[in-house]
Amino acid sequence: MLRVGLTGGIGSGKSTVSKQLAELGAVVVDADVIAREVVEPGMPALTAIRERFGPGVVADDGVLDRAGLGRIVFGDPAALKDLEAITHPAIWARTAELIAEAPDDATVVHDMPLLVEAGMAGEYHLVIVVGASEETRLRRLVELRGMPEADARARIAAQANDSQRRAAADVWLDNEGSPDTLRSSVVRLWEERLLPFETNLRHGIRTRLAVPTLSPPDPTWPAHADRLIARIQHALGRPDLAVEHIGSTAVAGLIAKDVIDLQIGVGSMEEADEAGFVTALERAGFPRVVGNDRDSAKDGSVWAKRFHGSSDPGRIAHVHVRVVDSPGWRWALAFRDRLRADADFRADYARMKVEVAARSATSDAYADAKEPWFDSVDLAVE
């Protein structure tokens, strides 16, 4: 099951994208719909709200007076906290129930307006953000929804800004154009990324860069790495887990294959081989690659490691699992840091990569052809 988080600022068009994904076959779990469901007449949460805030928050027909309740909790942090203590457990229980009911081969889209604000990006295989400028969103709220401009501005200001949303976005769907343009983007995303991602995830398939194509330096690579790191830490239940962005994409200004290399630090190789560890990474979209279990030192010794790839066709990633402070762990960090600090060393490495890529037909051949250069590097980490 592929879990996708969908979010966007008020007026961005997120609901339109949610509807389009449902039409294409996604199982949509709408946070706003659930939030209304759990306080319907007869629901335990509504009873608890009435007991806490008084009978005045429930109309004569038994329906929650949302506006009246809003006036009570607005500006009263204690009252708001009490309300959230009632509604949030019910919302998350219902959300989990709906996701569990989805088929194993489903693409589940969690339509979550405050995904970024709640810091939930790491909980999904992929995060889609529907984006539009503040001016466009303001116009839509005023002209299409009839919202007073002051209220619209206040709603926009209370949410995450575009910089925060872009940091969380694996996919940014621009919605400044026509409805047809947006729909075309959604269909292309569904067919080229979401469906293949779900298939790869279900079958434990990793994506690969078959041809060693070098890309110009991309300033967004560190942000991609940060999102993958958060996903791995969440999957393993370890927000403090040592996960480092290594390799060429971790070095500003360096050409590289468009592949994010990460290094997970474990206490032992036994920990890396535990079924729970391997399964958690596989379910998060990082299947184990059997046979890639060592690096070779210049003296012929073997540095043990484990290797996982990414199932996401839109973001190739290599995940190296090494024992913290082992020679292999230290070498990867020392090499990255040398590249960052030494311009001549960085330029020499870039020249070598261009030369090797020009005569290598596959990524495997490219990796093998670089080995003599690596053997010449002395980082003193034994």
Side-chain angles (χ1 to χ4, degrees):
M1 179 190 298
L2 183 69
R3 300 184 308 279
V4 177
L6 173 66
T7 194
I10 184 170
S12 65
K14 173 184 62 63
S15 296
T16 299
V17 172
S18 180
K19 181 180 179 181
Q20 291 173 349
L21 287 170
E23 292 170 353
L24 289 167
V27 175
V28 175
V29 177
D30 190 320
D32 283 342
V33 170
I34 294 172
R36 291 192 292 270
E37 284 181 357
V38 300
V39 294
E40 289 178 349
M43 298 298 287
L46 181 59
T47 301
I49 289 172
R50 180 172 183 153
E51 292 174 352
R52 166 59 181 84
F53 296 99
V57 299
V58 179
D60 293 340
D61 59 1
V63 176
L64 178 67
D65 179 1
R66 293 179 178 275
L69 179 60
R71 287 190 292 271
I72 292 173
V73 302
F74 183 76
D76 186 341
L80 179 60
K81 186 175 181 181
D82 288 345
L83 176 61
E84 291 174 343
I86 294 169
T87 59
H88 284 190
I91 290 169
W92 291 120
R94 180 57 176 156
T95 299
E97 189 176 80
L98 290 173
I99 293 175
E101 290 173 357
D104 290 342
D105 61 351
T107 294
V108 175
V109 175
H110 188 197
D111 183 337
M112 179 68 178
L114 300 181
L115 183 155
V116 175
E117 291 84 345
M120 294 174 56
E123 300 182 20
Y124 306 96
H125 294 107
L126 201 71
V127 171
I128 301 170
V129 175
V130 185
S133 69
E134 183 173 325
E135 293 77 14
T136 297
R137 291 187 285 130
L138 181 64
R139 176 178 53 78
R140 289 171 180 166
L141 294 175
V142 173
E143 296 180 3
L144 302 181
R145 299 193 192 182
M147 188 179 293
E149 182 173 335
D151 291 351
R153 290 187 182 278
R155 293 285 297 275
I156 290 172
Q159 295 184 337
N161 58 41
D162 276 356
S163 177
Q164 292 167 318
R165 290 195 185 96
R166 284 188 182 277
D170 298 291
V171 176
W172 182 273
L173 282 178
D174 184 87
N175 189 22
E176 291 283 352
S178 69
D180 286 343
T181 298
L182 178 64
R183 179 164 185 82
S184 295
S185 297
V186 174
V187 170
R188 187 165 57 252
L189 171 65
W190 176 258
E191 294 179 348
E192 295 178 3
R193 190 163 186 180
L194 299 186
L195 287 182
F197 196 169
E198 188 284 320
T199 298
N200 291 347
L201 181 68
R202 186 157 33 94
H203 295 288
I205 300 169
R206 72 163 173 131
T207 55
R208 303 188 64 184
L209 189 65
V211 179
T213 302
L214 295 174
S215 300
D218 185 341
T220 71
W221 280 330
H224 284 281
D226 287 344
R227 289 192 292 272
L228 295 174
I229 289 170
R231 208 155 278 150
I232 287 169
Q233 290 172 328
H234 178 78
L236 294 172
R238 292 272 306 279
D240 61 336
L241 182 68
V243 187
E244 296 271 1
H245 184 195
I246 59 172
S248 295
T249 58
V251 181
L254 181 61
I255 60 171
K257 293 181 299 177
D258 188 16
V259 177
I260 303 297
D261 279 276
L262 303 176
Q263 177 169 256
I264 298 177
V266 293
S268 66
M269 279 295 102
E270 289 74 21
E271 178 184 340
D273 290 334
E274 288 177 357
F277 183 96
V278 176
T279 300
L281 284 179
E282 288 176 346
R283 288 177 176 170
F286 302 97
R288 164 89 36 110
V289 178
V290 177
N292 191 336
D293 60 1
R294 66 192 64 196
D295 295 311
S296 299
K298 286 193 294 183
D299 63 1
S301 62
V302 171
W303 296 340
K305 74 169 186 179
R306 300 296 181 263
F307 183 75
H308 295 249
S310 168
S311 294
D312 179 3
R315 171 36 60 210
I316 300 173
H318 296 164
V319 181
H320 311 262
V321 185
R322 299 183 174 104
V323 174
V324 171
D325 207 34
S326 65
W329 167 273
R330 295 199 305 273
W331 199 97
L333 297 180
F335 181 67
R336 177 201 65 188
D337 294 345
R338 173 88 179 272
L339 286 171
R340 288 175 172 176
D342 188 333
D344 291 338
F345 184 68
R346 187 166 59 248
D348 187 46
Y349 184 46
R351 282 193 295 270
M352 181 274 294
K353 292 206 294 182
V354 170
E355 293 170 0
V356 169
R359 63 174 188 268
S360 299
T362 67
S363 288
D364 287 342
Y366 171 77
D368 290 341
K370 291 195 299 180
E371 284 305 312
W373 188 90
F374 283 119
D375 288 341
S376 70
V377 176
D378 186 6
L379 296 176
V381 298
E382 298 294 339

